[in-house]
Amino acid sequence: MTMHRFALAALAAAALAGCSTTKLDEPAAKAPVETRPAAPTPAPVNTVPESKVQSVDLGAELTKAVADKRVVYFDFDSFVVKDEYRGLVDAHAKRLLQIKTQKLSLEGHADDRGSREYNLALGQKRAEAVAQQLTLAGVPAAQAEPVSFGKERPAVQGTGEAVWAKNRRVEIKDK
């Protein structure tokens, strides 16, 4: 057993010999400290500079934008709104959505070929097609009233394709 104690003491002495000693009386080394000037004080939050942006009456601006764009033309014997006029109808829809009190009359017309009854029905279908486009854009149906004048109010008098093309239309009018 003494041999074990001796081996254990030798092992402990070897372990302690490998450790370095630290003096507790010495002050710890100080890390370098960077000194900076104090940050400027931010401006008070409650002071907002006055805006130089003018307010815009969007409804009036949209009305000006479509003031001279109020006719949708159709192909012969058709009541399908052509792709080239969808932007025009959408512009009127934006205006109606902005000005909730604005109402439109959608006046459907046809050229002078065909019977009076047929052209009244075709003019009504054309006006309803434009009204449907407005409704799809979110406009309440009560803001747009489709009516037909058939061939009774031509935009241009005469015959021939150029004249007939000007008469196949829906006029968008403010009420």
Side-chain angles (χ1 to χ4, degrees), residues 6-143:
F6 178 72
L8 193 55
L11 188 60
L16 285 174
C19 293
S20 66
T21 60
T22 305
K23 294 183 182 177
L24 296 176
D25 295 346
E26 292 180 10
K30 292 185 178 180
V33 177
E34 182 180 344
T35 57
R36 295 184 184 174
T41 308
V45 178
N46 60 357
T47 60
V48 177
E50 186 176 325
S51 175
K52 292 182 176 33
V53 177
Q54 294 179 346
S55 62
V56 175
D57 181 356
L58 187 56
E61 291 299 316
L62 289 170
T63 299
K64 282 187 221 174
V66 295
D68 62 337
K69 299 172 186 146
R70 295 187 170 261
V71 181
V72 176
Y73 293 101
F74 292 83
D75 288 333
F76 173 72
D77 200 31
S78 172
F79 54 91
V80 175
V81 177
K82 297 183 200 178
D83 286 340
E84 64 189 273
Y85 295 105
R86 291 185 192 268
L88 169 73
V89 175
D90 287 343
H92 281 282
K94 286 178 185 174
R95 182 172 68 107
L96 291 173
L97 290 171
Q98 188 65 34
I99 309 171
K100 303 283 186 196
T101 58
Q102 180 65 59
K103 294 187 182 208
L104 297 179
S105 175
L106 305 171
E107 299 179 354
H109 298 273
D111 60 36
D112 64 356
R113 296 175 288 177
S115 70
R116 181 178 184 277
E117 292 79 18
Y118 177 80
N119 284 325
L120 277 171
L122 183 57
Q124 186 67 31
K125 287 179 183 177
R126 288 174 175 165
E128 289 172 356
V130 173
Q132 178 69 23
Q133 289 296 314
L134 291 169
T135 302
L136 289 173
V139 175
Q143 278 187 275

